[in-house]
Amino acid sequence: MGILGTLFIIFFVVPFLWGLLQGVIKAIFEISLEMISEFGLLYIIFFIAFLPFRVLNWLQRFAHKPWQVFMKYPPSSGSRDFWRVVDVIVRIPLYVVMTPLRFVNAVAFNLVLRPLYEFWNYLSEVFVPSDYEEGDRNFGDWLILLPVRILKYPVYHGLLTVIECVFYTVFDTIFPTVTMYHGTSHEAADAIVQSPTRTPFNREVATRLHGVWNVGGGNYAGDGIYFAPRTSTAMHYARSNRYPVVIICRVTFGRILPLSLSPGYVYNSAGYPAAHNVTSYGLKNGYKAIEWWRKDRGWWEYCLLDWQNKYNESWRIRPIMVLDPQSYFFKRTDGGSRHWLFDKMILKDLKTTLLG
């Protein structure tokens, strides 16, 4: 073979074959996921595997406040003080008794579901990188940078995730924390959950709105971030978006105000946009969150109060995973989720809350 033939093979044939192989690998990986999701197999597996965790989470919510069913509506004026005492004092022995259940839930969500989701994201970055600088567009770069991606994602970020999850397991055992659902759009979920430095798109457009929870519109039960104990409730609010998703979160509410035990003028202001009376009353009396039975819909909602949009001491809200109801599977988070524990803002919020 002549020199020209050799050069032709080196500079044209080999790159073409490498590009073709890269396309085949990506196609197999992506089409396989699409087919599995299309048949709903992953959704069925996830639903069955997740069911015990959902039951345990419901049991924790119920056991820590079994009288909640009697607090949907304002009680008579004579019994309001009684229920206030019950809501505060009776919780103390229940807190002690329910410690094992808090630990089990902390392990299930922080050491099982969260790592599974994150390592799924990390393996996706290894085989189908989202960053063109890490081999997204060129098979040569893809192959050369394969060891780099392995070290960066499953090893380095995987280690940080494990450390983070262990910390939160201990934290959730001590501080009452429950799993809640937040309905939103694909774009908002990415802005909230993604690390703003690990993908080229975020590096170019990252703003102060990335990586934080921001107060939206409506605020029917106070100004803040809203969560639901049921996925169907979260989906109700997510459906207003073109591409709805549900973020599964671990939420440490702190002191919760049952709206039914608030003064009449506060309770009656709920259910209307911009319920500032609820916000001001709650914050004035040292409450961190609002618990509201929405009687027109027949479900519970929780509002983590945030009067001035200060991102709500965001250590209180820790995303576990993002569900895409349209594909019946996890929504991939390009680059993996943000490490909330190692964020300066969150560490500052945590220190302020714990130490004053």
Side-chain angles (χ1 to χ4, degrees):
M1 181 181 296
I3 296 177
L4 292 178
T6 303
L7 292 176
F8 177 77
I9 292 176
I10 293 175
F11 291 103
F12 293 98
V13 177
V14 173
F16 173 76
L17 292 177
W18 280 19
L20 182 63
L21 183 58
Q22 180 194 22
V24 170
I25 292 174
K26 290 182 66 175
I28 292 175
F29 189 81
E30 293 172 348
I31 293 174
S32 297
L33 287 181
E34 186 177 347
M35 290 181 63
I36 295 173
S37 299
E38 192 70 28
F39 288 112
L41 179 60
L42 288 178
Y43 176 79
I44 295 172
I45 294 174
F46 173 75
F47 180 83
I48 294 174
F50 189 53
L51 185 59
F53 300 147
R54 293 168 65 104
V55 172
L56 287 174
N57 185 64
W58 174 87
L59 183 61
Q60 180 182 331
R61 284 186 59 250
F62 174 80
H64 275 287
K65 196 173 182 178
W67 56 88
Q68 186 185 47
V69 66
F70 301 108
M71 301 178 71
K72 293 180 178 179
Y73 307 101
S76 61
S77 57
S79 61
R80 183 170 297 180
D81 292 337
F82 167 77
W83 284 114
R84 283 199 182 102
V85 172
V86 170
D87 198 55
V88 174
I89 296 180
V90 181
R91 287 186 179 211
I92 298 175
L94 281 178
Y95 170 85
V96 176
V97 172
M98 298 310 299
T99 299
L101 182 56
R102 288 198 307 275
F103 173 73
V104 170
N105 277 335
V107 170
F109 287 98
N110 292 315
L111 292 180
V112 179
L113 286 184
R114 171 73 192 282
L116 281 176
Y117 177 68
E118 288 306 321
F119 277 93
W120 162 256
N121 287 323
Y122 298 150
L123 290 177
S124 298
E125 290 299 324
V126 169
F127 293 105
V128 187
S130 59
D131 193 340
Y132 58 84
E133 295 179 358
E134 295 181 351
D136 176 39
R137 301 178 183 176
N138 184 281
F139 185 68
D141 294 339
W142 183 92
L143 190 61
I144 294 172
L145 295 174
L146 179 61
V148 176
R149 294 196 302 275
I150 293 174
L151 291 175
K152 178 179 179 180
Y153 292 104
V155 177
Y156 174 69
H157 286 295
L159 177 61
L160 292 182
T161 297
V162 170
I163 294 173
E164 198 174 35
C165 290
V166 170
F167 173 86
Y168 283 140
T169 299
V170 176
F171 188 88
D172 289 0
T173 304
I174 300 172
F175 298 92
T177 303
V178 290
T179 300
M180 289 279 166
Y181 307 93
H182 179 82
T184 186
S185 66
H186 272 242
E187 296 78 13
D190 285 339
I192 292 169
V193 176
Q194 273 186 342
S195 169
T197 60
R198 278 184 241 156
T199 60
F201 175 76
N202 279 355
R203 285 197 296 270
E204 294 169 2
V205 302
T207 69
R208 66 180 181 86
L209 302 180
H210 281 72
V212 294
W213 296 82
N214 290 280
V215 175
N219 298 317
Y220 282 63
D223 300 274
I225 316 298
Y226 281 75
F227 298 91
R230 295 166 52 187
T231 53
S232 57
T233 305
M235 273 304 302
H236 167 78
Y237 293 103
R239 287 193 187 100
S240 61
N241 301 287
R242 183 178 180 183
Y243 299 108
V245 297
V246 172
I247 306 176
I248 303 177
C249 311
R250 295 286 286 170
V251 186
T252 306
F253 283 114
R255 192 176 177 212
I256 300 176
L257 168 65
L259 202 56
S260 60
L261 298 184
S262 65
Y265 79 94
V266 175
Y267 178 82
N268 293 329
S269 67
Y272 301 95
H276 298 318
N277 283 339
V278 178
T279 308
S280 58
Y281 177 84
L283 294 179
K284 181 180 178 180
N285 290 275
Y287 292 100
K288 293 291 185 182
I290 303 296
E291 177 185 74
W292 178 42
W293 172 258
R294 185 167 175 177
K295 56 186 178 182
D296 60 326
R297 294 288 183 176
W299 62 48
W300 290 99
E301 291 183 12
Y302 292 80
C303 172
L304 196 53
L305 291 173
D306 186 5
W307 173 246
Q308 296 178 328
N309 205 10
K310 291 183 177 178
Y311 315 125
N312 220 353
E313 295 179 336
S314 43
W315 64 270
R316 292 181 177 274
I317 317 169
R318 303 181 294 280
I320 296 294
M321 62 179 62
V322 183
L323 292 179
D324 184 348
Q326 294 182 336
S327 65
Y328 301 105
F329 193 49
F330 310 140
K331 178 188 180 300
R332 174 180 171 178
T333 299
D334 291 341
S337 301
R338 175 184 179 217
H339 295 300
W340 292 77
L341 179 60
F342 305 103
D343 186 277
K344 292 181 181 179
M345 181 187 71
I346 293 173
L347 289 174
K348 181 181 178 181
D349 288 339
L350 184 59
K351 179 182 177 181
T352 301
T353 303
L354 297 180
L355 302 180

